[in-house]
Amino acid sequence: MALKNSSDGRTRSSIQIFIVVGLCCFFYILGAWQRSGFGKGDSIALEISKSGADCNIVPNLNFETHHGGEVMSSDDSETKSKVFEPCHPRYTDYTPCQDQKRAMTFPREDMNYRERHCPREEEKLHCLIPAPKGYVTPFPWPKSRDYVPYANAPYKSLTVEKAIQNWIQYEGNVFRFPGGGTQFPQGADKYIDQLASVIPIKNGTVRTALDTGCGVASWGAYLWSRNVIAMSFAPRDSHEAQVQFALERGVPAVIGVLGTIKVPYPSRAFDMAHCSRCLIPWGANDGKYMMEVDRVLRPGGYWVLSGPPINWKNNYKAWQRPKEDLEEEQRKIEEAAKRLCWEKKSEKGEIAIWQKRVNDDSCRDRQVSFCKAGDVDDVWYKKMEECITPYPDVSGSEEVAGGEIKPFPERLYAIPPRIASGSIPGVTVESYQEDNNKWKKHVNAYKKINRLIDSGRYRNIMDMNAGFGGFAAAIQNPKLWVMNVMPTIAEKNTLGVIYERGLIGIYHDWCEAFSTYPRTYDLFHAHGVFSLYKDKCNIEDILLEMDRILRPEGAVIFRDDVDTIIKVKKIIGGMRWDTKMVDHEDGPLVPEKILVAVKQYWVGNSTSAQ
């Protein structure tokens, strides 16, 4: 009996020890879990269960093009979603903030009528913009540089208006772009060779360029092979479908104009700016437009002007313009360049090239009007001023104002001067490097979800909330480019950092339509966009705008908190998008979720609404 009691006691002691150790382990793990920020795990799981979301690695979401033309049925979880009907086919190329009818109600002075004028809330369309019949996925780059399917932009007027200038030719069911232009009849490559004899294009010093009045953006298209990325812009239908053609070719471009408000780019952004017969009155208003170019041009950057009035003495007869007018026009441009302290590097044929000084040290005696102290990057809907943006201070005559930029591609991951100098509050070198590592990890996960990301399937990509440009840097590939959008309500304005990395981007308020034609982007990345705007405007409006500018069979990657993702998914349920929820790459307990979507292929018809 004694032996039996002793055995029972040992057994009970072992069980008690096991229970105590088990409880200690449980509470330790629970505490660690709560401290990690994953304490919402149970509520997340409950919400996902309620929503019917399927968190897996999207085994059945089709990213491939198929052009079936049929609308696929929605999941059961989406049957209660509001259904958005197609708009009438007349809205196929609708650009809400550059609508032609609305534009004509505004003054023509200083191109005001061609600037952004967005519809009032009651004027917004709440329907899906249809693709034209016969729409097909554009050719992959580099074929798309030279060929665009006729069905995607069925407008032949440029083939007539610019026939002798070799802009565009219609051949059967495609448009062909020979690479010509008004100022480069021998082709854009030969023209760029002329520029490269003066401007250091080959060694990576010049990476970002601005093309004002771009036409069909052949200059930007041919710069791509030289590792230079150009932001091109032109007015809405000054000549029909210029920017639309540029984007169909796979060239970065937006609808825009130098008018009464500042261009939506940060100061000291571009290594080079360019105008080839862009019809901008550079000498007018004391050189106001040249002052705006100076604001966005990096210290040491180049400005190229080709065509009238350059070298007017030899060209006025060919241009069929009075030589007195041309002489006065060039005189005003030369005077404005002197006030800006630009150095003229070359004037040969019809091409003139100036270089902006690296700092203000050699120009201190000039009698000019400087802009008032303030945020030089606060430009959204801000009136363009007739004043010169001052250089950042320097400590020596050879120092580059604002910091020296490394050549590309080294600058992609070098510490940007704006961060190294501490000029962005709350941002350190360490936090910037951590952000880069985070986005490398995220992009690797994206490539597992959608293996077509760097295959050439997606050429025009948009990051709707770009931060430091970490997504664009991690996805960098010669087959694609990223439009990095800096929301005007973002906590930190880091668009200048993005340009210092050798990437491009633009300021935008997502409560309004983007300055582009429909169906001009292949892939969207929306990180935290809907959390940022949840108290600012209607989520539905942002999603409809995304649908407007996303190509049929284009893809979207949403990354946001689970509550926001569920709201977005419900709205998408009525938009002819196929969706799947995916867990964060660190596991299902992380509150941040990923929603991937593919826009279905469909085209307009006569029974469409509105």
Side-chain angles (χ1 to χ4, degrees):
M1 294 291 292
L3 287 172
K4 185 176 181 181
N5 291 337
S6 175
S7 175
D8 289 345
R10 284 197 300 271
T11 300
R12 284 194 297 271
S13 297
S14 298
I15 292 171
Q16 289 170 348
I17 291 170
F18 179 77
I19 292 171
V20 170
V21 171
L23 287 171
C24 289
C25 290
F26 171 76
F27 285 113
Y28 176 80
I29 293 170
L30 180 62
W33 176 52
Q34 290 174 331
R35 286 193 299 274
S36 71
F38 300 159
K40 293 183 178 180
D42 292 336
S43 62
I44 291 169
L46 181 62
E47 286 295 330
I48 292 175
S49 298
K50 288 179 179 178
S51 71
D54 182 11
C55 284
N56 51 40
I57 307 300
V58 286
N60 59 349
L61 193 61
N62 184 15
F63 294 98
E64 299 282 359
T65 58
H66 53 278
H67 294 179
E70 296 297 325
V71 179
M72 297 173 66
S73 60
S74 300
D75 294 340
D76 290 340
S77 61
E78 297 171 342
T79 54
K80 296 181 181 179
S81 300
K82 174 183 174 181
V83 175
F84 295 92
E85 298 295 333
C87 303
H88 191 278
R90 68 173 175 270
Y91 291 109
T92 293
D93 291 326
Y94 182 54
T95 56
C97 296
Q98 285 90 9
D99 180 67
Q100 290 289 74
K101 290 183 179 179
R102 185 181 302 106
M104 298 310 294
T105 66
F106 287 87
R108 297 203 170 205
E109 185 180 2
D110 291 338
M111 297 291 282
N112 177 273
Y113 75 114
R114 290 209 179 275
E115 294 182 305
R116 287 177 59 85
H117 301 290
C118 298
R120 297 187 298 270
E121 190 65 33
E122 63 272 17
E123 296 176 318
K124 291 182 179 179
L125 298 180
H126 292 279
C127 51
L128 305 177
I129 301 296
K133 289 184 179 181
Y135 180 88
V136 297
T137 302
F139 300 115
W141 186 268
K143 184 178 179 179
S144 67
R145 185 193 72 177
D146 302 324
Y147 296 95
V148 165
Y150 170 75
N152 292 11
Y155 307 112
K156 296 182 181 179
S157 61
L158 278 179
T159 65
V160 177
E161 292 180 34
K162 302 294 181 181
I164 63 172
Q165 296 165 6
N166 221 22
W167 276 31
I168 179 175
Q169 297 173 358
Y170 175 63
E171 299 179 354
N173 62 348
V174 298
F175 288 112
R176 186 169 73 88
F177 296 83
T182 310
Q183 281 304 119
F184 28 96
Q186 293 182 311
D189 262 335
K190 292 287 187 183
Y191 176 81
I192 293 170
D193 285 341
Q194 290 179 275
L195 304 184
S197 66
V198 179
I199 301 171
I201 290 175
K202 296 180 181 179
N203 63 5
T205 300
V206 171
R207 162 64 179 176
T208 57
L210 180 68
D211 192 13
T212 57
C214 64
V216 294
S218 288
W219 187 70
Y222 280 81
L223 277 173
W224 188 265
S225 63
R226 304 178 192 233
N227 220 10
V228 177
I229 185 168
M231 172 72 78
S232 302
F233 70 81
R236 167 72 159 87
D237 283 351
S238 178
H239 291 297
E240 195 168 34
Q242 290 181 100
V243 168
Q244 190 174 20
F245 278 129
L247 286 155
E248 283 294 317
R249 298 175 73 184
V251 182
V254 293
I255 301 171
V257 65
L258 279 170
T260 65
I261 59 174
K262 296 180 179 181
V263 291
Y265 313 111
S267 61
R268 311 191 313 277
F270 296 98
D271 302 312
M272 173 169 56
H274 172 259
C275 160
S276 172
R277 286 209 185 192
C278 60
L279 305 179
I280 295 171
W282 293 111
N285 300 318
D286 292 326
K288 179 175 70 173
Y289 297 141
M290 291 175 66
M291 293 175 186
E292 181 64 356
V293 169
D294 181 76
R295 181 186 69 81
V296 301
L297 197 62
R298 196 182 309 286
Y302 297 86
W303 186 55
V304 179
L305 177 61
S306 65
I310 301 304
N311 204 353
W312 59 269
K313 291 179 181 178
N314 296 323
N315 299 311
Y316 75 92
K317 289 183 180 178
W319 292 334
Q320 297 181 342
R321 287 183 55 188
K323 58 183 180 180
E324 294 80 12
D325 292 353
L326 290 164
E327 180 182 15
E328 178 64 12
E329 190 176 333
Q330 181 154 0
R331 183 188 67 78
K332 288 181 177 180
I333 290 171
E334 300 284 3
E335 286 184 354
K338 286 181 181 179
R339 288 195 297 273
L340 292 167
C341 206
W342 292 355
E343 179 185 1
K344 195 168 194 179
K345 305 295 289 186
S346 172
E347 181 175 320
K348 187 176 180 181
E350 296 180 17
I351 303 173
I353 301 173
W354 286 265
Q355 184 177 21
K356 181 177 177 178
R357 307 279 184 177
V358 297
N359 60 50
D360 201 25
D361 193 65
S362 61
C363 309
R364 296 193 181 278
D365 295 333
R366 54 181 171 158
Q367 300 296 315
V368 295
S369 173
F370 286 101
C371 302
K372 295 178 181 178
D375 185 355
V376 293
D377 295 339
D378 181 17
V379 298
W380 187 246
Y381 285 122
K382 293 297 191 298
K383 191 173 180 60
M384 199 182 295
E385 302 172 281
E386 293 176 21
C387 58
I388 297 173
T389 303
Y391 286 85
D393 292 333
V394 295
S395 56
S397 60
E398 301 299 319
E399 183 181 351
V400 178
E404 190 168 358
I405 306 293
K406 295 185 181 298
F408 194 84
E410 186 181 352
R411 72 167 73 168
L412 188 61
Y413 279 105
I415 305 301
R418 281 171 166 89
I419 290 178
S421 65
S423 60
I424 303 176
V427 176
T428 63
V429 170
E430 292 74 22
S431 64
Y432 168 73
Q433 291 172 328
E434 287 173 6
D435 186 80
N436 283 331
N437 292 333
K438 178 184 74 174
W439 282 107
K440 287 177 182 177
K441 179 180 177 181
H442 289 340
V443 167
N444 283 336
Y446 293 160
K447 289 178 180 180
K448 293 176 183 177
I449 295 169
N450 182 350
R451 302 184 194 280
L452 300 178
I453 283 179
D454 55 2
S455 69
R457 167 68 181 85
Y458 306 118
R459 170 68 179 173
N460 303 358
I461 297 177
M462 179 181 288
D463 190 357
M464 297 175 67
N465 185 18
F468 298 124
F471 168 79
I475 208 172
Q476 172 70 21
N477 187 307
K479 297 177 182 178
L480 57 85
W481 58 271
V482 179
M483 179 67 78
N484 292 282
V485 178
M486 181 59 52
T488 56
I489 63 170
E491 181 183 351
K492 293 181 176 66
N493 179 1
T494 51
L495 190 54
V497 168
I498 288 169
Y499 275 93
E500 288 177 345
R501 301 186 72 167
L503 305 169
I504 60 168
I506 194 168
Y507 292 112
H508 183 64
D509 181 357
W510 283 113
C511 291
E512 298 180 359
F514 195 76
S515 291
T516 190
Y517 285 83
R519 303 171 302 282
T520 45
Y521 284 85
D522 305 301
L523 176 68
F524 277 117
H525 180 242
H527 169 235
V529 174
F530 294 92
S531 290
L532 182 65
Y533 279 92
K534 64 181 179 181
D535 298 322
K536 302 296 181 183
C537 52
N538 194 337
I539 287 180
E540 180 182 296
D541 288 343
I542 300 176
L543 287 167
L544 287 172
E545 174 61 6
M546 292 171 67
D547 182 83
R548 183 183 74 88
I549 60 181
L550 183 65
R551 296 190 192 279
E553 299 178 319
V556 184
I557 301 171
F558 298 91
R559 179 182 285 269
D560 222 312
D561 66 79
V562 68
D563 292 333
T564 301
I565 287 289
I566 290 170
K567 291 176 184 176
V568 167
K569 188 174 187 294
K570 183 173 178 60
I571 297 171
I572 289 175
M575 289 176 55
R576 305 188 183 198
W577 290 15
D578 299 317
T579 63
K580 279 289 181 180
M581 188 90 82
V582 182
D583 283 324
H584 190 282
E585 56 267 22
D586 289 337
L589 296 179
V590 181
E592 187 175 71
K593 296 294 176 186
I594 301 166
L595 180 67
V596 291
V598 176
K599 180 178 175 178
Q600 297 169 9
Y601 178 88
W602 63 278
V603 298
N605 58 64
S606 59
T607 61
S608 299
Q610 299 194 32

